[in-house]
Structure formats: structure tokens, C-alpha cells
Amino acid sequence: MDFSDIGLSLVKVLVVGITLGAGLPALFALGLKGLARTEARPDGTLAVTAGGRAVAGLAFGVVSLAVIVGILWIVAGGH
Amino acid sequence: MAETLILLLVIITALAFDFTNGFHDTGNAMATSIATGALKPKVAVTLSAVLNLIGAFLSVAVAATVAKGIVNLEGVGGQDLLRIVLAGLVGAILWNVLTWLLGIPSSSSHALFGGLIGAALVALGTSGVLWNGVVAKIVFPALLAPVVAGVVAGIGSWVVHRIVATVPESTQEKGFRWGQVGSASLVSLAHGTNDAQKTMGVIFLALVAHGSVTADDTIPFWVIAACAIAIGLGTYLGGWRVIRTLGKGLVEISPAQGMAAETSSAAIILTSSSLGLPLSTTHVATGSILGSGVGRPGAQVRWGVAGRMGVAWLVTLPAAAAMGAVAWGIAHLIGGATGMLVVFAILVAGCFAMWLRSRRAPVNPDNVNADWEEGLEPAAQPAEKLATVTVLDEAPEVPLPAEDAAEPAPRRVATPA
């Protein structure tokens, strides 16, 4: 491995790092924001709106999937 | 007989290194979760230890080539090779324990390579070290890893804080607890997979030198199991001093920030090792925590602590190399199994002395999260015990005016964590 290879690898790490390393937390945060969308029920209690639940479900689903793929990646020795 | 004794000594030393590797790096994964209270300190180190143990069994892909491209050991074999390996390990362990004592998260891989480079250099001359490999595989990645990790974690932390700014505190707390535990677990697993292999490689090298296995054999299962257990036990011990620096010293960590930092670390460690770019887990984790602080609006980063850490990173390789070289010199001068036993005894004595020094002001699960104003070694004693000590220290001999004696000024004020 010479320096140009290392430079290229670093760019790749930076791109993937920003996509997953910053993207997944952002997605997770969006999920939490979904859970914070509440409305008052007829009985006066607060509940998460249907839309909020959908956003949260989607966001947490994608994050969980990414984590599972990450674990499989480690297990498969792909690192 | 002597050959077997030497081999045994090298294996024990290698496992000891693996053990230091474990406790030195617990903080990389768990410091943020401990600092934010997402996990109780003991729970955090237990979880990390189990994941490191499991991780160590998952892959041996790079174990056999651990030192390839950095030191050139092809011309040596037998006892000469074992002496180089032992000296390298001794240099690495001493540096690891010293940096732990100082609470500095330095790279265990750099310490290991440094020790081996130093020993190979004095044993074989400059041809024993592959300088291009050292620059390309160690120096260059070390300079860039914290920067890359810092940028990624900084962006992540900034975005996350922006998104959740309006989310109620309680929802954030509950959510980010899961996020932190999940991301920190990934880092622990990746750490076990990556780092335990280095020790397996070293033991394998020793076994080949001894003639117990040939270079083409697979790594014996007992080597894998022993390394997994050693790194797991080390992780479970928890390097509280390093955890404290990472979790409290660099920057005050919010739950969202902790998750951003650990996700960044996990993503970068996994991506870089899949590309064969050997970024140090420690450098990545530290860069991530620092970056997540820079990215969080209003966070105060202690650049002094970061600077001290940076200096330690620059010094790690040469310092471990110097210790490895000296260890080799001593073993060589005395010669044979005796020489190696003496070096081993020096290692034990050195580690014991540093451990004793750490007992003077221990950092443990009870005070690991104490306010950083108190420095690395916070007063651990409960308030009333400290008060007794203060009285004993100052009351008997110093004749004070009555009004002052009523309120002796304690030298340190204990704030129970």
C-alpha cells in the first residue's frame, strides 16, 4: 500500500464515515423527533401522532438494519 | 527445557500485553456511555468485556500478518527471534501502563509496533525495520485518524443537536440511551475483533520461532481462546483513569453527543479496517469524542487535555521503541533464558511500582464521573473520612487562633460523585 492508495482509502473512509457515522445518528434523531410529535387524546392524555409513529418506525427500522448489517459484516470477517 | 521456558515466558508476556490492551481501550467504547449515565460504570465494562471476548473469536484474518511490512524478522529464528518479541512486548506493556497511570488514551497498537521496532532495530540494525511501512502504516494513519473521526463526529453531533433541539428532555434521554449503548457495543465488538488478533499474531510468531508450529499452520484454538479471555478480562477491569479522561476530561458529553461520537467511531473503524487502512481504535475514538464536542453548540472543549494527549501519541512509538531496545539490550547482555527472565522480572517490578503509585489516588467506578475541576485523580473518600484526615494532618501541631481552628481549611474539598 503506497501513499496514493492511502489517500484514496482515506477519502473513502471519510465519505462512508460521514454517510453512516453522521447519517445514522441524524436518522435516529429524526426518529426521536417523530416520537415527540404528540397530540391530546379525547381523555386528555398525550399520545404520539400516527404520522410521528410512522416517521419513528421508519427511522429506527433503517438504523436497526444498519446495525444488524454492521454486526454481520464483523462476523463475516469483512473488515 | 530452556527453550520451552522462554516460549512460555513470551506467551505469558504477550497475554499480559493483551490484558493491558483491554483495560487501556475500555474507554474508547464506553467512556461516553459512562459519562452520560446511559450505563452504570460496572455494567458498561461488563458489556464491553463480553463483546470483546466474543469479538476476539470472530476473525483471525490478519493475525498471522500482524507485524508484516513494519519489521523484517525473516532472517532470524529461534531464541534470537523470541528475544526480540519479548523485548518488544515489554516495551509496549511498560508504555501502556505508564500512559494508563497518567490517564492518557494512547494507542496499544502503536506501543506494540514501537516496542518491536525498537527491539528489531538494536538486534538487527536498520535493515530490521521497514521504514516505508512504518510511515505508511503507522505515522500517516495516526496523523489523519483523529482528524477524519473528528470531522465525522462533529458533523453528526451538530446535525443531531439541531434536529432534537425541540424534542423534550425525557424523550431524548430515553432514546439516546439506546443509541449510545448500541453504538458503543458495536465499537466494543469491533475492538475485540481487531485488537485481540494482534496478540494472537505475536504468540503465533513465537510458536513458529520455537518450532511448535510452522508458518503455514492455522492459529491453534487455545491461542485464540487465551487471547479472547485476556482482552476480555482486561476490558472488565476497566481502565478507569483513561475512561475518566475520555468521558470527563476532553469535553462534557451530552447523550446525543455520546451517540454521535460512538457511531462515528464504529463507522470509521469498520470502514477503515475493511479497506486495509490500519487506523488505531484509540485515535479514532478520541478524535470522535473531541469532534462531537466541537460540533455541539455551546460545548466547551478542553484543548489543554487534547494537546497533552496529542503529545503522548507522538511520543508513543519512539518511547515504546526505546524501552523495547533497552529490554533487548539487557536480555542480550545477560544472555540465554536468564537474560529473558531478568527482563521479565523488570517488567513485573515496573508494572507493580506504577500500580502502587496509582493506589495513592485511585480512580474507580465510584469517582470516575467526578467533576473534572478536580483533575484526573479526584478525592475519592466520603466527606467525613476526608475531614478526619484533614484534622489529623493539620490540627495537632499548628497553633491556630481559635476562630480559625473551628474551621480548618481543607486542602481538598471532597464532592461525592
Side-chain angles (χ1 to χ4, degrees), chain B residues 255-401:
Chain B
Q257 186 190 343
M259 186 192 73
E262 295 305 329
T263 316
S264 157
S265 294
I268 291 171
I269 291 165
L270 291 177
T271 321
S272 64
S273 51
S274 81
L275 292 169
L277 187 71
L279 297 189
S280 153
T281 314
T282 304
H283 294 165
V284 171
T286 312
S288 288
I289 293 176
L290 205 59
S292 71
V294 174
R296 181 182 129 209
Q300 181 208 356
V301 178
R302 292 193 191 86
W303 291 107
V305 178
R308 223 163 62 100
M309 227 177 258
V311 171
W313 289 357
L314 293 179
V315 175
T316 293
L317 195 87
M323 291 194 230
V326 170
W328 185 87
I330 295 171
H332 182 70
L333 276 180
I334 300 171
T338 320
M340 297 206 211
L341 273 171
V342 169
V343 169
F344 184 76
I346 293 173
L347 170 70
V348 173
C351 292
F352 186 67
M354 286 190 269
W355 178 77
L356 276 184
R357 169 61 190 78
S358 81
R359 301 305 299 163
R360 275 204 244 159
V363 180
N364 51 37
D366 299 325
N367 66 358
V368 67
N369 277 341
D371 202 81
W372 188 258
E373 297 302 308
E374 295 184 56
L376 172 68
E377 299 172 334
Q381 303 95 326
E384 51 291 355
K385 196 169 159 201
L386 189 78
T388 322
V389 172
T390 312
V391 170
L392 282 178
D393 269 351
E394 300 189 347
E397 281 150 40
V398 189
L400 289 166

Side-chain angles (χ1 to χ4, degrees), chain B residues 2-18 67 71 73 76-95 111-120 122-123 199 201-207 209-210 320-348 351:
Chain B
E3 288 291 313
T4 312
L5 179 74
I6 292 172
L7 177 66
L8 201 65
L9 207 59
V10 173
I11 292 174
I12 292 171
T13 314
L15 291 174
F17 168 76
D18 204 21
V71 282
L73 301 173
V76 278
Q79 212 184 81
D80 292 338
L81 180 54
L82 287 173
R83 188 182 297 122
I84 293 173
V85 172
L86 180 76
L89 286 167
V90 167
I93 295 174
L94 286 175
W95 180 253
L112 177 62
F113 292 144
L116 287 174
I117 287 170
V122 286
T199 307
V202 170
I203 295 179
F204 190 68
L205 196 65
L207 290 173
H210 177 256
M323 291 194 230
V326 170
W328 185 87
I330 295 171
H332 182 70
L333 276 180
I334 300 171
T338 320
M340 297 206 211
L341 273 171
V342 169
V343 169
F344 184 76
I346 293 173
L347 170 70
V348 173
C351 292

Side-chain angles (χ1 to χ4, degrees), chain A residues 6 10 17 25 28 33 74 78-79, chain B residues 136 140 144 152 163 175 193 273-274:
Chain A
I6 292 175
L10 269 174
F28 191 90
K33 197 166 179 153
I74 300 175
H79 58 87
Chain B
F140 202 52
L144 293 167
V152 171
I163 293 175
T193 314
S273 51
S274 81

Side-chain angles (χ1 to χ4, degrees), chain A residues 1 3 6 9-10 12-14 16-18 20-22 24-26 28-30 32-33 35-36 67 70-71 73-75 78-79, chain B residues 59 135-136 140 144 148 152 156 159-160 163-164 166-168 175-176 179 186 193-194 259 263 267 270-276:
Chain A
M1 176 175 271
F3 286 100
I6 292 175
S9 298
L10 269 174
K12 285 188 199 162
V13 169
L14 196 60
V16 179
I18 290 174
L20 296 177
L24 288 176
F28 191 90
L30 282 176
L32 281 187
K33 197 166 179 153
L35 285 185
V67 170
I71 292 172
W73 179 264
I74 300 175
V75 172
H79 58 87
Chain B
S59 173
V135 175
F140 202 52
L144 293 167
V148 171
V152 171
V159 172
V160 168
I163 293 175
V164 299
T166 55
V167 174
F176 285 127
L186 269 183
T193 314
N194 276 323
M259 186 192 73
T263 316
L270 291 177
T271 321
S272 64
S273 51
S274 81
L275 292 169

Side-chain angles (χ1 to χ4, degrees), chain B residues 110-179:
Chain B
H110 277 205
L112 177 62
F113 292 144
L116 287 174
I117 287 170
L121 197 58
V122 286
L124 310 169
T126 45
S127 67
V129 180
L130 303 167
W131 298 104
N132 264 342
V134 172
V135 175
K137 290 188 161 184
I138 303 179
V139 178
F140 202 52
L143 295 176
L144 293 167
V147 179
V148 171
V151 168
V152 171
I155 295 173
S157 174
W158 185 78
V159 172
V160 168
H161 281 98
R162 284 285 300 245
I163 293 175
V164 299
T166 55
V167 174
E169 198 74 25
S170 62
T171 314
Q172 280 198 37
E173 194 131 313
K174 220 163 65 188
F176 285 127
R177 171 170 293 178
W178 281 103

